[in-house]
Amino acid sequence: RTRRFLEYFRTVSAAIDGIYKQLTRAPTAPLGGIAQLQLESEREPYRYGVKYYAMPPGKRYRDMEQLSGGERSVAALALLFALQAARPSPFLVMDEIDAALDPLNVQRVSRYLRERAADESPAQSVVISLKDAFYENANALVGIYRDPSAGHASRVLTLDLDAFGAVSLGDEGGGA
Amino acid sequence: RTRRFLEYFRTVSAAIDGIYKQLTRAPTAPLGGIAQLQLESEREPYRYGVKYYAMPPGKRYRDMEQLSGGERSVAALALLFALQAARPSPFLVMDEIDAALDPLNVQRVSRYLRERAADESPAQSVVISLKDAFYENANALVGIYRDPSAGHASRVLTLDLDAFGAVSLGDEGGGA
Amino acid sequence: GRLLRIELENFKSYAGKVTVGPFPPGFSAVIGPNGGGKSNLMDAISFVLGLPSRQLRGGFLGDVVYRGNLAAGEAYTFLAEEPAPQSAVVRLVYEHEPDRETVFSRTVTVSGVSTYRVDSRAVSLETYLRRLQAVHLSAGPQSFLVFQNQVEEIANRSPQQLAALFEETS
Amino acid sequence: GRLLRIELENFKSYAGKVTVGPFPPGFSAVIGPNGGGKSNLMDAISFVLGLPSRQLRGGFLGDVVYRGNLAAGEAYTFLAEEPAPQSAVVRLVYEHEPDRETVFSRTVTVSGVSTYRVDSRAVSLETYLRRLQAVHLSAGPQSFLVFQNQVEEIANRSPQQLAALFEETS
Ligand SMILES: Nc1ncnc2c1ncn2[C@@H]1O[C@H](COP(=O)(O)OP(=O)(O)OP(=O)(O)O)[C@@H](O)[C@H]1O
Ligand SMILES: Nc1ncnc2c1ncn2[C@@H]1O[C@H](COP(=O)(O)OP(=O)(O)OP(=O)(O)O)[C@@H](O)[C@H]1O
Ligand SMILES: [Mg+2]
Ligand SMILES: [Mg+2]
């Protein structure tokens, strides 16, 4: 059991920095940030736990507690994606993971999900979001609403975005 | 002490439904929802507490627990605004109160803050937000960023939106 | 494997029979107004994957059966002359091999009693969970289901709590 | 009364002296990237209104003094040859009557010791809080300061916890 834990831990630990860099790279910070996982004890991993260090670009190391809301969300998502990279589930289902993200971080996370869908297998994800900057990068949209003509019950409409080609919603408005 | 509590409670209780309706009115629901506060006991108000009922338009009464994330945020904001209406503070400071709100609810809340600024006194508010649909309704913008030429310390830029007249950012893009 | 579609029958805000999908192999975004039913869809997915009821919002499992949206005292009118539904069903249709589907189905009554089916055949909960595990769909404290507001919580975890994330049922 | 401006000196991510404002009489929105310093501004407002340190994020009050952003081991270079600051100051400039300002100021050292001033005159904490109360700016478990993620928490409160919101210091 401990052996499987260590094996899994090492794979996740090897993946996390690359993923965190992918989520934090920017023109002003082409290298991205730094992320690291540490086992407090290899012999009793559960007892002492796993320490997670994430340093956004341009910042000195701070406790997770001292990062901002959005910085913590990006760090948490990097960890979740690293767990997935090490041991993929057939699909991911996530609910409003972009709540604390600014528009640039929203782009980075949604592009990560888009790229993951393009090159990995399996890479299916179903992600609830209220932000158009997030869902404009999806392969398909699933719209859920209350239908007054059905006693306000929930109803669903699905739209295949790939059928429209690579048009970004942001372009239509000329940069509004 | 109990007498002051009851006095304050009654004023808030009288204000809450009107404010909740203001935050939930929509073309499909011109009357808005229903909100209500109830004292479990008038003689020992602290011991038994205050019960808050909020019913979004088109829905039957459900416990606060069964409302969706956005519905709960709107209900919570109505309560905060009602407390303010009953006993106004000189200014409000709020951080990302729109995190769980869909674009229509974002509009309703930011318009409430805008209208409150126009007709009440005092009605000053300073609200942190990541959503342009929210801050486009502000009288002024305060931009806070990390300045690489200042060792990445926080710096501030202020912009008076009223100086530009009543232009909505959403119009520039022709509805993108 | 790939998720093909989710079928809901009288589950939470989904009155009658509603099919969600087909889901593409890639990245789908679920969108819509507050209170529309998006998190309820996520609850349906957790439900059909056999998660215990405390993982679903609200206390009692029988509460997930559709109850009319009308104000207290009004008659139940969506399904017109039909009585209120006594059970809810969620089916997860999964392509476990190319062009081969498995249907996982869970039903719960208003009194909170669950029954399970794999490809329309009734099975015990143990068998159901075993069949899910065989296609890597067992949903423990998994990293593949992230609930509303949970992302921030992950960042706030202690080292011991983070270690729990590494303990996946494979 | 009306908030005119906030002056920060070496408070959290605000190195050196930074003035935020002037704030209009109406609705101002604070915007910017994640990690920019927006919630730090809110912390500064709570701080200068005399809130106890547990209301500020992070454990120790002395931690709010600006500490350079450079990776551990690098020299502190923003203020070039200057040493790291040993204290942080926040001033809240308040128009308590038309065209008449009051400046509330709180300083804290890296060892966590606070001192208070009203219009540049040093006062005790008790006097400071009393002067704030006189202009209706006492910040108890108030409804006028709503912290990040707190809105959802209000909706989840029990009846007894909600009653606490009604117990305002006037
Ligand atoms: N058994 C039930 N019968 C009918 N309606 C229900 C039932 N259970 C929950 N609901 C309704 O479902 C709604 C909540 O839906 P849900 O949480 O999925 O919304 P959402 O789309 O996630 O919204 P948000 O964007 O605000 O998170 C509530 O209005 C609630 O009243
Ligand atoms: N004493 C300090 N010295 C220097 N930097 C600090 C200090 N205390 C906090 N910081 C930095 O301030 C940043 C957090 O800023 P803040 O929480 O205000 O961001 P924010 O604009 O609210 O972001 P978000 O939109 O993600 O909530 C962190 O990067 C943290 O490292
Ligand atoms: Mg939801
Ligand atoms: Mg913040």
Side-chain angles (χ1 to χ4, degrees), chain A residues 95-96 128 130 144 146 154, chain B residues 56 59-62 66-72 100-102 105, chain C residues 10-14 32-43 57 62-69 148:
Chain A
D95 196 345
E96 289 188 38
I128 296 166
L130 297 171
I144 301 185
R146 311 301 286 251
S154 292
Chain B
K59 311 226 164 159
R60 82 194 290 179
Y61 168 66
R62 296 222 142 76
Q66 300 199 33
L67 295 185
S68 78
E71 291 172 331
R72 281 209 302 274
L101 302 181
D102 67 37
N105 275 326
Chain C
N10 292 315
F11 184 87
K12 300 195 94 178
S13 52
Y14 294 83
N34 290 139
K38 307 181 295 296
S39 298
N40 287 348
L41 174 65
M42 175 138 196
D43 289 339
R57 293 172 288 160
D63 286 347
V64 306
V65 180
Y66 174 75
R67 291 167 288 169
N69 270 322
Q148 196 163 347

Coordinates of all heavy atoms in Angstrom, one line a residue, chain A residues 95-96 128 130 144 146 154, chain B residues 56 59-62 66-72 100-102 105, chain C residues 10-14 32-43 57 62-69 148, ligand 1:
Chain A
D95 N -16.9 21.7 -11.6 CA -17.9 22.7 -11.4 C -17.4 24.0 -11.0 O -16.9 24.2 -9.9 CB -18.9 22.1 -10.4 CG -20.3 22.9 -10.4 OD1 -20.4 24.0 -11.0 OD2 -21.2 22.3 -9.8
E96 N -17.4 25.0 -11.9 CA -17.0 26.4 -11.6 C -15.6 26.4 -11.0 O -15.4 27.1 -10.0 CB -18.0 27.1 -10.7 CG -19.3 27.4 -11.5 CD -20.3 28.3 -10.8 OE1 -19.8 29.2 -10.0 OE2 -21.5 28.0 -10.9
I128 N -18.4 22.8 -15.9 CA -19.4 23.9 -15.7 C -18.7 25.2 -15.5 O -17.8 25.4 -14.8 CB -20.3 23.6 -14.4 CG1 -21.0 22.2 -14.6 CG2 -21.2 24.7 -14.2 CD1 -21.6 21.7 -13.3
L130 N -19.4 29.8 -15.8 CA -20.3 30.9 -16.0 C -19.6 32.0 -16.9 O -20.1 33.0 -17.2 CB -20.6 31.6 -14.7 CG -21.5 30.8 -13.7 CD1 -21.6 31.5 -12.4 CD2 -22.9 30.6 -14.3
I144 N -27.9 24.5 -20.1 CA -28.9 24.0 -19.2 C -29.7 25.2 -18.6 O -29.1 26.1 -18.1 CB -28.3 23.1 -18.0 CG1 -27.5 22.0 -18.6 CG2 -29.4 22.6 -17.1 CD1 -27.0 21.0 -17.6
R146 N -34.0 26.7 -17.3 CA -35.3 26.3 -16.8 C -36.3 26.7 -17.9 O -36.4 27.8 -18.3 CB -35.7 27.0 -15.5 CG -34.6 27.0 -14.4 CD -34.3 25.6 -14.0 NE -35.3 25.0 -13.2 CZ -35.2 24.8 -11.9 NH1 -34.1 25.0 -11.3 NH2 -36.2 24.3 -11.2
S154 N -35.7 21.7 -15.6 CA -34.4 21.9 -16.4 C -34.5 21.2 -17.7 O -35.0 20.0 -17.8 CB -33.2 21.3 -15.6 OG -33.0 22.0 -14.4
Chain B
P56 N -36.4 32.2 -5.1 CA -36.2 32.8 -6.5 C -37.5 32.8 -7.3 O -38.3 31.9 -7.1 CB -35.1 32.0 -7.1 CG -34.4 31.3 -5.9 CD -35.5 31.1 -4.9
K59 N -39.8 29.5 -8.5 CA -39.5 28.3 -7.7 C -40.3 28.2 -6.5 O -40.7 29.2 -5.9 CB -38.0 28.4 -7.3 CG -37.1 28.7 -8.5 CD -35.9 27.9 -8.5 CE -35.3 28.0 -9.9 NZ -33.9 27.6 -9.9
R60 N -40.5 27.0 -6.0 CA -41.2 26.8 -4.8 C -40.2 27.0 -3.6 O -39.0 26.9 -3.8 CB -41.9 25.4 -4.7 CG -41.0 24.3 -4.2 CD -41.6 23.0 -4.5 NE -42.7 22.7 -3.6 CZ -43.4 21.5 -3.7 NH1 -43.1 20.6 -4.6 NH2 -44.4 21.3 -2.9
Y61 N -40.8 27.3 -2.4 CA -39.9 27.5 -1.3 C -38.9 26.3 -1.1 O -39.4 25.2 -1.0 CB -40.6 27.9 0.0 CG -39.6 27.8 1.1 CD1 -38.5 28.7 1.1 CD2 -39.5 26.7 2.0 CE1 -37.5 28.6 2.1 CE2 -38.5 26.6 2.9 CZ -37.5 27.6 3.0 OH -36.5 27.5 3.9
R62 N -37.7 26.6 -1.0 CA -36.7 25.6 -0.6 C -35.8 26.2 0.4 O -35.5 27.4 0.4 CB -35.9 25.2 -1.8 CG -36.6 24.5 -2.9 CD -35.9 23.3 -3.5 NE -36.8 22.2 -3.8 CZ -37.6 22.2 -4.8 NH1 -37.6 23.2 -5.7 NH2 -38.4 21.2 -5.0
Q66 N -30.8 24.3 -0.4 CA -31.1 23.7 -1.7 C -31.1 24.6 -2.9 O -31.3 24.2 -4.0 CB -32.5 23.0 -1.6 CG -32.5 22.0 -0.5 CD -33.7 21.0 -0.6 OE1 -34.1 20.7 -1.8 NE2 -34.2 20.6 0.5
L67 N -30.9 25.9 -2.6 CA -30.7 26.9 -3.7 C -29.4 26.6 -4.3 O -28.4 26.1 -3.7 CB -30.8 28.3 -3.1 CG -32.1 28.7 -2.6 CD1 -32.1 30.2 -2.2 CD2 -33.3 28.5 -3.5
S68 N -29.2 27.1 -5.6 CA -28.0 27.0 -6.3 C -27.0 28.0 -5.7 O -27.4 28.9 -5.0 CB -28.2 27.2 -7.8 OG -28.3 28.6 -8.0
G69 N -25.7 27.9 -6.1 CA -24.7 28.8 -5.7 C -25.0 30.2 -5.9 O -24.9 31.1 -5.1
G70 N -25.4 30.5 -7.2 CA -25.7 31.9 -7.5 C -27.0 32.4 -6.8 O -27.1 33.5 -6.4
E71 N -28.0 31.5 -6.7 CA -29.2 31.9 -6.0 C -28.9 32.3 -4.5 O -29.5 33.2 -4.0 CB -30.3 30.8 -6.0 CG -30.8 30.6 -7.4 CD -31.7 29.3 -7.5 OE1 -31.5 28.3 -6.8 OE2 -32.6 29.3 -8.4
R72 N -28.0 31.5 -3.9 CA -27.6 31.8 -2.5 C -26.9 33.1 -2.4 O -27.1 33.9 -1.5 CB -26.8 30.7 -1.9 CG -27.6 29.5 -1.5 CD -27.0 28.7 -0.4 NE -25.7 28.2 -0.7 CZ -25.4 27.1 -1.4 NH1 -26.4 26.3 -1.7 NH2 -24.2 26.8 -1.7
A100 N -20.1 33.8 -7.9 CA -21.0 32.8 -8.3 C -22.1 33.2 -9.2 O -23.0 32.5 -9.5 CB -21.6 32.1 -7.0
L101 N -22.1 34.5 -9.6 CA -23.3 35.1 -10.3 C -23.1 34.9 -11.8 O -22.1 35.1 -12.4 CB -23.4 36.6 -10.0 CG -23.6 36.9 -8.5 CD1 -23.7 38.4 -8.3 CD2 -24.8 36.2 -7.9
D102 N -24.2 34.5 -12.5 CA -24.3 34.5 -13.9 C -24.3 35.9 -14.5 O -24.6 36.9 -13.7 CB -25.4 33.6 -14.5 CG -26.8 34.2 -14.2 OD1 -27.0 35.4 -14.2 OD2 -27.7 33.4 -13.9
N105 N -27.4 38.1 -13.3 CA -27.3 38.5 -11.9 C -26.2 39.5 -11.6 O -26.4 40.4 -10.8 CB -27.2 37.2 -11.0 CG -28.5 36.6 -10.7 OD1 -29.5 37.3 -10.6 ND2 -28.5 35.3 -10.7
Chain C
N10 N -36.7 12.4 -13.8 CA -37.2 13.0 -12.6 C -36.1 13.1 -11.5 O -36.4 12.9 -10.3 CB -38.3 12.1 -12.1 CG -39.5 12.2 -13.0 OD1 -39.9 13.3 -13.4 ND2 -40.1 11.1 -13.3
F11 N -34.9 13.5 -11.9 CA -33.8 13.7 -11.0 C -33.7 15.2 -10.7 O -33.4 16.0 -11.6 CB -32.5 13.1 -11.5 CG -31.4 13.2 -10.6 CD1 -31.1 12.2 -9.6 CD2 -30.5 14.3 -10.6 CE1 -30.0 12.3 -8.8 CE2 -29.4 14.4 -9.7 CZ -29.2 13.4 -8.8
K12 N -33.9 15.6 -9.5 CA -33.8 17.0 -9.0 C -34.6 17.8 -10.0 O -35.8 17.6 -10.2 CB -32.3 17.4 -8.9 CG -31.6 16.5 -7.9 CD -30.2 17.1 -7.4 CE -30.4 17.9 -6.1 NZ -29.1 18.4 -5.6
S13 N -34.0 18.9 -10.6 CA -34.8 19.8 -11.4 C -35.2 19.3 -12.7 O -35.8 20.0 -13.5 CB -34.1 21.1 -11.5 OG -32.8 20.9 -12.0
Y14 N -34.8 18.0 -13.1 CA -35.1 17.4 -14.4 C -36.3 16.6 -14.4 O -36.3 15.4 -14.1 CB -33.9 16.6 -14.8 CG -32.6 17.4 -15.1 CD1 -31.8 17.7 -14.0 CD2 -32.2 17.8 -16.3 CE1 -30.6 18.5 -14.2 CE2 -31.1 18.5 -16.6 CZ -30.3 18.9 -15.5 OH -29.2 19.6 -15.7
G32 N -25.1 28.1 -18.6 CA -26.5 28.4 -18.3 C -26.7 29.3 -17.1 O -25.7 29.5 -16.3
P33 N -27.9 29.8 -16.8 CA -28.2 30.7 -15.8 C -28.1 30.1 -14.4 O -28.1 28.8 -14.2 CB -29.6 31.1 -16.0 CG -30.2 30.0 -16.8 CD -29.1 29.4 -17.6
N34 N -27.9 30.9 -13.4 CA -27.9 30.4 -12.0 C -29.2 29.7 -11.7 O -30.3 30.2 -12.1 CB -27.8 31.6 -11.0 CG -26.4 32.3 -11.0 OD1 -26.4 33.5 -10.9 ND2 -25.4 31.5 -11.1
G35 N -29.1 28.6 -11.1 CA -30.3 27.8 -10.7 C -30.9 27.0 -11.9 O -31.9 26.3 -11.8
G36 N -30.2 27.0 -13.0 CA -30.7 26.3 -14.2 C -30.7 24.7 -14.0 O -31.5 24.1 -14.6
G37 N -29.7 24.2 -13.3 CA -29.6 22.8 -13.2 C -28.2 22.2 -13.5 O -28.0 21.0 -13.6
K38 N -27.2 23.1 -13.6 CA -25.8 22.6 -14.0 C -25.2 21.7 -12.9 O -24.7 20.6 -13.1 CB -24.9 23.8 -14.3 CG -25.5 24.8 -15.3 CD -24.6 25.9 -15.6 CE -24.3 26.9 -14.4 NZ -25.5 27.6 -14.0
S39 N -25.2 22.2 -11.6 CA -24.7 21.4 -10.5 C -25.5 20.2 -10.3 O -25.0 19.1 -9.8 CB -24.6 22.3 -9.3 OG -23.7 23.3 -9.5
N40 N -26.8 20.3 -10.6 CA -27.7 19.1 -10.5 C -27.2 18.0 -11.4 O -27.3 16.8 -11.1 CB -29.2 19.5 -10.7 CG -29.8 20.3 -9.6 OD1 -29.2 20.4 -8.5 ND2 -30.9 20.9 -9.9
L41 N -26.7 18.4 -12.6 CA -26.2 17.4 -13.5 C -25.0 16.7 -12.9 O -24.8 15.5 -13.0 CB -25.8 18.1 -14.9 CG -25.1 17.2 -15.9 CD1 -26.0 16.1 -16.3 CD2 -24.6 18.0 -17.1
M42 N -24.1 17.5 -12.3 CA -23.0 17.0 -11.6 C -23.4 16.0 -10.5 O -22.8 15.0 -10.3 CB -22.1 18.1 -11.1 CG -20.9 17.6 -10.2 SD -19.4 18.5 -10.6 CE -18.3 17.3 -9.9
D43 N -24.4 16.4 -9.7 CA -25.0 15.5 -8.7 C -25.4 14.2 -9.3 O -25.2 13.1 -8.8 CB -26.1 16.2 -8.0 CG -25.7 17.3 -7.1 OD1 -24.5 17.4 -6.7 OD2 -26.6 18.2 -6.8
R57 N -25.7 17.2 -2.3 CA -26.1 18.3 -1.5 C -27.5 17.9 -0.8 O -28.3 17.3 -1.4 CB -26.3 19.6 -2.3 CG -25.0 20.1 -2.8 CD -25.3 21.3 -3.8 NE -25.8 20.8 -5.0 CZ -26.5 21.6 -5.9 NH1 -26.7 22.8 -5.6 NH2 -27.0 21.1 -7.0
G62 N -33.8 10.5 -0.8 CA -35.1 10.6 -1.5 C -35.4 12.0 -2.0 O -36.3 12.1 -2.9
D63 N -34.7 13.0 -1.5 CA -35.0 14.4 -1.9 C -34.6 14.6 -3.4 O -34.9 15.7 -3.9 CB -34.2 15.4 -1.0 CG -34.9 15.5 0.3 OD1 -36.1 15.0 0.5 OD2 -34.3 16.1 1.2
V64 N -33.8 13.7 -3.9 CA -33.3 14.0 -5.3 C -34.4 13.7 -6.3 O -34.3 14.0 -7.5 CB -32.0 13.2 -5.7 CG1 -30.9 13.5 -4.7 CG2 -32.3 11.7 -5.8
V65 N -35.5 13.1 -5.9 CA -36.6 12.9 -6.8 C -37.3 14.2 -7.1 O -37.6 15.0 -6.2 CB -37.7 11.8 -6.3 CG1 -38.8 11.6 -7.2 CG2 -37.0 10.5 -5.9
Y66 N -37.6 14.4 -8.4 CA -38.2 15.7 -8.8 C -39.5 16.0 -8.0 O -40.4 15.2 -7.9 CB -38.5 15.7 -10.3 CG -39.3 16.9 -10.8 CD1 -38.6 18.1 -10.9 CD2 -40.7 16.9 -11.0 CE1 -39.3 19.3 -11.4 CE2 -41.4 18.0 -11.4 CZ -40.7 19.2 -11.6 OH -41.3 20.3 -12.0
R67 N -39.4 17.3 -7.4 CA -40.6 17.8 -6.8 C -41.0 19.1 -7.4 O -40.1 19.9 -7.6 CB -40.3 18.0 -5.3 CG -40.1 16.8 -4.5 CD -39.5 17.1 -3.1 NE -38.1 17.5 -3.2 CZ -37.5 18.0 -2.1 NH1 -38.1 18.2 -1.0 NH2 -36.2 18.4 -2.2
G68 N -42.2 19.3 -7.8 CA -42.6 20.4 -8.6 C -42.1 21.7 -8.1 O -41.8 21.9 -7.0
N69 N -42.0 22.6 -9.1 CA -41.4 23.9 -8.8 C -42.4 25.0 -8.4 O -42.1 26.1 -8.2 CB -40.8 24.5 -10.1 CG -39.3 24.0 -10.2 OD1 -38.6 24.0 -9.1 ND2 -38.9 23.7 -11.3
Q148 N -18.5 22.2 -6.9 CA -18.6 23.7 -6.8 C -17.9 24.2 -5.5 O -18.3 23.6 -4.5 CB -20.0 24.2 -7.0 CG -20.2 25.7 -7.3 CD -21.6 26.1 -7.8 OE1 -22.4 25.2 -8.2 NE2 -21.8 27.4 -7.8
Ligands
LIG1 N1 -35.9 17.5 -6.1 C1 -36.0 18.6 -6.7 N2 -37.1 18.9 -7.5 C2 -37.2 20.1 -8.1 N3 -36.2 21.0 -8.1 C3 -35.1 20.8 -7.4 C4 -34.9 19.6 -6.7 N4 -33.7 19.6 -6.1 C5 -33.1 20.8 -6.4 N5 -34.0 21.5 -7.2 C6 -33.7 22.9 -7.7 O1 -32.6 22.9 -8.5 C7 -32.0 24.2 -8.4 C8 -30.5 24.2 -8.3 O2 -30.0 23.8 -9.4 P1 -28.4 23.8 -9.6 O3 -27.7 23.8 -8.3 O4 -28.1 22.7 -10.5 O5 -28.1 25.2 -10.3 P2 -26.9 25.7 -11.1 O6 -27.2 25.7 -12.6 O7 -25.7 24.9 -10.7 O8 -26.7 27.2 -10.7 P3 -25.5 28.1 -10.2 O9 -24.9 28.6 -11.5 O10 -26.1 29.2 -9.4 O11 -24.5 27.2 -9.4 C9 -32.7 24.9 -7.3 O12 -33.5 26.0 -7.7 C10 -33.5 23.9 -6.6 O13 -34.7 24.4 -6.1

